[in-house]
Every structure is written in C-alpha cells, then in structure tokens.
Amino acid sequence: DIQMTQSPSTLSASVGDRVTITCRASQSISTWLAWYQQKPGKAPKILIYKASILESGVPSRFSGSGSGTEFTLTISSLQPDDFATYSCQQYEAYPWTFGPGTKVEIK
Amino acid sequence: QVQLVQSGAEVKKPGASVKVSCKVSGYSRSEVYMHWVRQAPGKGLEWMGGFDPEDAETIYAQKFRGRVTMTEDPSTDTAYMELSALRSQDTAVYYCAMAPDFTFDYWGQGTVVTVSS
C-alpha cells in the first residue's frame, strides 16, 4: 500500500498568513493527488485534484503543486473560513489512501 | 445539484452487522461510481472500497475484504454498504462518496456507527 504522510500535524496561523502544508507519498504517484478540507462534524470537501487543478468554485487563494512523492497545498492569505483540517489522498493505485490530516487552527 | 443522503445513526453489538444506505439525487450520469470512506473518532479518513470503472467491478480494501459488501440499486438510485462481524474498532462515521473522475467529488453527510456491548 502507498503510505501518505503530512506535515505539520497542526499549524497555528493568523488571518492573512500564507500557509503551506506538505504531503509525501511512500512511492511515486505522479500527480494523482487530491486535497480535501474538512470542518468538524462535516464531510470532506475536495479542493484540488491532479496535484494542482483547482476544483470549480474553490477560491483562488488555494493552490497545489508537486509530483512524484512530494506535494504542497498553499493558502496564500488565510481567511476565517479556512480554519479546518486538510488531508491529501492518492489515487494512483488501490487501496486509495489518505494522509493523517493537518489541522489549521487560529493562532 | 448532486445530493447524497445517508441513513441514520446505528448502535450495534459486537459481532452484529450494519447496513448503511446512501440515496443519490441530482446526478445526470447513469453510473455513480460510489465509494465508502470511514473516519474513526479523532482519526483520519480511511477508504473502504468502491466501484472501479476500468474493471467494472467493486474493489475492496484488503482490510475489509470478507466483511464488507457494497451494492447499488439503480431502480432507487441508492447505494448500500454492509459491514459484518462488527468490533469496537469499527466505531466510526461512515461516508458514501462519488468518484466519477477518481476523486471524491460528492459526499454524503455521514452515518455514525457505534459498536458497543
């Protein structure tokens, strides 16, 4: 199975900050990576697919990059609605696997 | 718009089975490419299985093989996930999620399954 790791596990930031989350795969997954945002008690919401393509309706302050085994999710200017948990997911091979999540909390 | 509505919370005893339903509405394509993902309390997301359009069959994660069955009823646009031989570690929120392009584009609201004696 392809293992996904994320860093940091928790991130404290202020509104307006630039935030970067890293996701690493245990083997190359090309660009078959998605990012999801999840708020407490809610289902995840897809933000980015194929490592860097923004899902329709997602604000442009979100961006993704990377290929192979290392990927990043960047929020260019953190907004109050962005405090949530972010998870990466690979879909290069079954079983599809998720990272453990990065919680972005208010500083 | 696309909506996935899941059945309500369940409390089960160890060794029992649970069947969660997920009704789809507002989706125009014939295939829904349904998957199931669970999340234990305070933990990350875990893919359980789903429909693989390339092989036209349902793929199950090794961890659940033999205990899980995922089905669909096209006549009612409803998908089902049945998990048997429940243990306390199966306590989680279970989500249905559609993956028409290999990513989870649409999600149900989640069904809490509690396994307790």
Side-chain angles (χ1 to χ4, degrees):
Chain A
D1 297 2
I2 298 173
Q3 309 301 319
M4 307 300 291
T5 59
Q6 286 182 235
S7 59
S9 55
T10 306
L11 189 159
S12 296
S14 302
V15 173
D17 283 353
R18 181 182 181 87
V19 162
T20 298
I21 297 168
T22 298
C23 172
R24 289 184 175 89
S26 61
Q27 65 189 71
S28 178
I29 57 170
S30 183
T31 55
W32 301 115
L33 184 101
W35 287 98
Y36 299 86
Q37 176 194 66
Q38 188 177 22
K39 296 182 179 179
K42 299 293 186 184
K45 170 190 167 184
I46 187 166
L47 299 175
I48 285 168
Y49 62 97
K50 213 157 183 304
S52 62
I53 302 175
L54 208 62
E55 179 74 9
S56 175
V58 173
S60 59
R61 61 181 180 271
F62 291 93
S63 64
S65 65
S67 67
T69 61
E70 188 155 333
F71 303 85
T72 58
L73 171 71
T74 300
I75 309 173
S76 60
S77 177
L78 200 64
Q79 298 303 300
D81 191 48
D82 301 337
F83 292 97
T85 297
Y86 295 85
S87 300
C88 58
Q89 176 239 334
Q90 67 80 20
Y91 51 104
E92 202 281 332
Y94 292 116
W96 293 349
T97 46
F98 291 86
T102 293
K103 183 177 181 181
V104 177
E105 57 182 28
I106 300 172
K107 192 172 185 178
Chain B
Q1 84 262 23
V2 179
Q3 276 198 304
L4 281 63
V5 179
Q6 297 184 224
S7 48
E10 302 264 13
V11 179
K12 296 291 183 182
K13 293 197 181 303
S17 297
V18 68
K19 191 170 186 177
V20 179
S21 68
C22 172
K23 184 167 176 61
V24 180
S25 62
Y27 190 67
S28 56
R29 291 197 247 174
S30 57
E31 287 289 350
V32 296
Y33 305 109
M34 192 65 75
H35 291 249
W36 293 84
V37 176
R38 77 177 188 180
Q39 187 169 38
K43 302 293 186 182
L45 299 160
E46 181 176 32
W47 178 78
M48 299 178 67
F51 186 77
D52 177 10
E54 292 186 348
D55 291 336
E57 63 177 0
T58 299
I59 306 288
Y60 298 118
Q62 174 74 32
K63 176 177 180 177
F64 301 102
R65 222 164 279 162
R67 279 208 304 144
V68 70
T69 305
M70 297 172 187
T71 56
E72 293 179 17
D73 182 351
S75 68
T76 59
D77 295 322
T78 303
Y80 299 91
M81 185 282 299
E82 184 169 22
L83 187 63
S84 62
L86 289 169
R87 36 219 189 216
S88 59
Q89 304 95 303
D90 293 319
T91 293
V93 178
Y94 289 77
Y95 293 101
C96 57
M98 287 169 54
D101 298 304
F102 301 99
T103 54
F104 302 116
D105 296 345
Y106 309 104
W107 294 73
Q109 82 277 21
T111 295
V112 176
V113 175
T114 303
V115 183
S116 173
S117 54

